[in-house]
Amino acid sequence: MDKLELKGKWNELKGKIKQQHADFTDDDLEYEDGKDDELYGRLQQKLGKTRDEVVKWLKSL
């Protein structure tokens, strides 16, 4: 998922993530320009998945 695609869809994805995983906080899902890697890292840590698995999961939402 490239940066532009992630940025454009993030609010929609964030809502879907919260529906599926109530334990995610707004801080966990905070998106800042240029800090995509940090976001992926937080998602990886919470989900216990690799970066590729997280990207694949986000694309499936």
Side-chain angles (χ1 to χ4, degrees), residues 4-18:
L4 185 60
E5 185 179 5
L6 179 63
K7 182 179 178 181
K9 294 183 177 182
W10 185 243
N11 285 330
E12 180 183 338
L13 289 173
K14 186 165 63 169
K16 289 180 179 181
I17 291 169
K18 283 184 173 184

Side-chain angles (χ1 to χ4, degrees), residues 40-54:
Y40 284 127
R42 288 191 304 268
L43 293 175
Q44 282 178 258
Q45 190 173 24
K46 280 282 208 177
L47 295 170
K49 297 182 182 229
T50 66
R51 181 186 170 101
D52 289 337
E53 290 172 326
V54 168

Side-chain angles (χ1 to χ4, degrees), residues 26-46:
D26 286 333
D27 288 339
D28 293 331
L29 300 174
E30 183 178 345
Y31 176 83
E32 294 181 43
D33 283 337
K35 295 192 175 184
D36 298 4
D37 290 333
E38 287 182 27
L39 173 63
Y40 284 127
R42 288 191 304 268
L43 293 175
Q44 282 178 258
Q45 190 173 24
K46 280 282 208 177

